[in-house]
Amino acid sequence: MESWSVEQVCNWLKQRNLGELVPKFREEEVSGAALLALNDRMVQQLVKKIGHQAVLMDLIKKYQQQKSGLESFTYCCETASQKFPEVISGKNQKSFFARHKTLQWTSSYALPDFPYDVKCILAEKKCPDHSMRIRIIEFLQADMTKYLEGSLYPNSQQYNIVVNALLQAYPFLDEDGNGFLLWKRALKDRFKYVRRPIEDDEQVLRNKCKFGHRRGQRRKSSFAENKLDDVQGQVEEKPAHLKGSAMDLHIKWLNQEYMKTQRNWEEVDNRMNVTIEIRRKMISDKTPLKDILRLFPFLRCPYQLFREFQLLTHMDIYKKTVEILEIYSENILSLYVVRNNPINIMLQENLKQHTEEDVLKYMKMTAACLLLPEVFGDDSSLFAAVNEEVKAVTPVLEVKNPFNVSSCEFALYIEREELAQLDDCTMALAALLAAFHVFDIPCPKRIHRTLNFLESLVFEVRNPASLP
């Protein structure tokens, strides 16, 4: 924050609903260093409203406390690194600090004090409507940003911590057992919405270049307008059995809603239900996948992919996948056939760098997932591409830095095109299994035994396939 420019300070104020202060801060040229040096008297001169004064002083105070705590932790690490240089040195230091920050969240995160109307709904144990959900998500996003010291890029584990805290405090929000994914997705969408208008924050620009502009995106407004024009054209070019005013409206609405950052997920579910028969007929008629995704883009969202699978099979694939990896990961890693596999060697090297139980469990589950084809003697390139380019046409996972807690990436590819980005190995494995069923894609023979083992457990076959 000390190195922030005046404009960065102004953006920071806008993110915290203090946009009224921006003109005065620009006039007085308050940079990041000046902001942290403000005392009570200066704040009173800059800010007229007492409420804004209190909020601003509280934010500055909390940042200074966090900074002093981090400095003392840094001193401890430097002292430790002198005694144990092999533990905290070089490239390990970055992951060590990142992990410490996550642990701080685990031990200290508490839900924000929600406004009165939200408290009333929660106290009555009523499931909130769409507008009330947005209110809750807005407060969670603002609170997370405070914990992140102004950053708008939480990692997956931090999302998990916040959503778990919400559902533990209010279990009735976990509707039909799918509440975790719903709330997490809504929270991620809220952060995307907040990041969208920011043009001069270095981290935002860097990530826009990394994840957005590389796919040919231009300015958001013109990009969205052009996409909506394309959508209208696509709806007009549908096959004959899709024509009809009601179906046209549903498909047009789904495409337009997909372009929004803040989506009405309840209505998305309803319209996906209404259109499922048409969608299944297109898939059974072997309509090209790109045409199906063009008309029903929400199938790119992991939650909708899992939901479609559940509508077809009455099975919660995400929940089943978590159970499978938790039960079988230790057995898989103990098999002789995987002992000298590069994935297992990479796992053992990374396990030495961590002691936290949750991190060790996450790493072992990731390794077990990636080693499954080796266990059954299948072709691993048809299952996952680890730190390399995807070559398979059938559904396959792309995995980068699988054992780095802060930078691992999972994505599902079909026909060598990215379908969805995924949070972790369990979501990735669930998405892979769901894709074969949802899009009715035949299983390649060279990966058949692995998928047969997983499917027999998902579908609770009486005599499920077993590990060799």
Side-chain angles (χ1 to χ4, degrees), residues 134-289:
I134 291 175
R135 293 261 288 152
I136 294 171
I137 288 296
E138 285 175 349
F139 272 84
L140 287 177
Q141 180 268 317
D143 194 56
M144 286 179 73
T145 305
K146 281 199 299 183
Y147 270 81
L148 287 166
E149 300 175 9
S151 171
L152 295 173
Y153 286 94
N155 61 38
S156 181
Q157 208 164 2
Q158 288 163 341
Y159 281 120
N160 292 347
I161 289 166
V162 173
V163 175
N164 275 326
L166 179 70
L167 297 184
Q168 284 175 10
Y170 308 104
F172 58 90
L173 295 178
D174 188 6
E175 301 170 25
D176 302 325
N178 292 323
F180 181 85
L181 287 175
L182 279 168
W183 286 99
K184 182 176 178 179
R185 183 185 58 193
L187 194 53
K188 293 176 81 170
D189 284 348
R190 176 64 188 173
F191 270 96
K192 289 179 185 176
Y193 177 76
V194 172
R195 289 194 298 260
R196 174 176 281 185
I198 298 174
E199 300 290 344
D200 58 352
D201 182 89
E202 290 181 11
Q203 188 183 11
V204 174
L205 288 174
R206 188 165 58 249
N207 281 273
K208 279 183 178 179
C209 291
K210 183 178 179 183
F211 297 111
H213 296 290
R214 70 176 180 178
R215 296 186 184 126
Q217 290 185 2
R218 300 189 298 275
R219 297 274 301 188
K220 293 290 182 183
S221 58
S222 60
F223 174 70
E225 287 167 7
N226 290 339
K227 282 299 259 181
L228 289 176
D229 290 341
D230 292 343
V231 165
Q232 291 171 358
Q234 291 158 9
V235 171
E236 291 171 3
E237 295 169 6
K238 293 190 307 299
H241 62 268
L242 281 181
K243 290 182 179 177
S245 58
M247 196 57 61
D248 281 353
L249 290 173
H250 287 309
I251 292 173
K252 184 177 179 180
W253 186 92
L254 287 167
N255 277 271
Q256 290 177 343
E257 192 71 9
Y258 185 75
M259 296 305 304
K260 296 179 182 177
T261 305
Q262 215 163 0
R263 297 158 179 166
N264 184 345
W265 289 107
E266 186 177 350
E267 186 62 21
V268 169
D269 290 348
N270 292 336
R271 293 187 186 246
M272 289 293 281
N273 284 351
V274 171
T275 57
I276 188 169
E277 288 187 17
I278 292 292
R279 194 160 54 252
R280 299 320 305 168
K281 185 173 189 337
M282 290 179 67
I283 290 170
S284 65
D285 290 345
K286 303 301 178 186
T287 303
L289 180 63

Side-chain angles (χ1 to χ4, degrees), residues 1-4 32-37 58-76 97 100-101 104 146-150:
M1 185 180 279
E2 290 92 337
S3 60
W4 283 4
L35 178 67
L36 294 176
D58 181 59
L59 289 171
I60 294 171
K61 183 180 177 182
K62 284 181 178 177
Y63 176 81
Q64 289 170 338
Q65 287 173 346
Q66 289 173 350
K67 184 188 171 195
S68 62
L70 189 59
E71 285 173 349
S72 63
F73 172 72
T74 306
Y75 172 75
C76 293
F97 276 91
H100 168 74
K101 193 165 187 178
Q104 279 186 316
K146 281 199 299 183
Y147 270 81
L148 287 166
E149 300 175 9

Side-chain angles (χ1 to χ4, degrees), residues 27-47:
E27 181 186 339
E28 298 294 337
E29 297 183 358
V30 180
S31 63
L35 178 67
L36 294 176
L38 293 177
N39 56 32
D40 292 348
R41 185 178 56 81
M42 293 175 181
V43 170
Q44 288 171 7
Q45 289 178 341
L46 272 171
V47 183

Side-chain angles (χ1 to χ4, degrees), residues 115-147:
Y116 180 74
D117 57 335
V118 176
K119 284 181 180 178
C120 291
I121 293 293
L122 296 176
E124 293 173 6
K125 296 187 178 180
K126 290 182 178 178
C127 288
D129 59 17
H130 180 63
S131 61
M132 190 59 67
R133 282 173 179 270
I134 291 175
R135 293 261 288 152
I136 294 171
I137 288 296
E138 285 175 349
F139 272 84
L140 287 177
Q141 180 268 317
D143 194 56
M144 286 179 73
T145 305
K146 281 199 299 183
Y147 270 81

Side-chain angles (χ1 to χ4, degrees), residues 409-451:
E409 295 178 17
F410 296 85
L412 175 65
Y413 276 68
I414 303 180
E415 297 177 358
R416 299 193 186 95
E417 296 289 333
E418 183 180 303
L419 182 81
Q421 292 186 352
L422 307 153
D423 291 340
D424 51 35
C425 66
T426 49
M427 184 179 282
L429 184 56
L432 179 70
L433 292 172
F436 278 102
H437 282 268
V438 169
F439 298 114
D440 195 20
I441 298 172
C443 171
K445 288 184 179 179
R446 287 182 293 157
I447 200 70
H448 173 74
R449 283 170 294 201
T450 303
L451 296 183

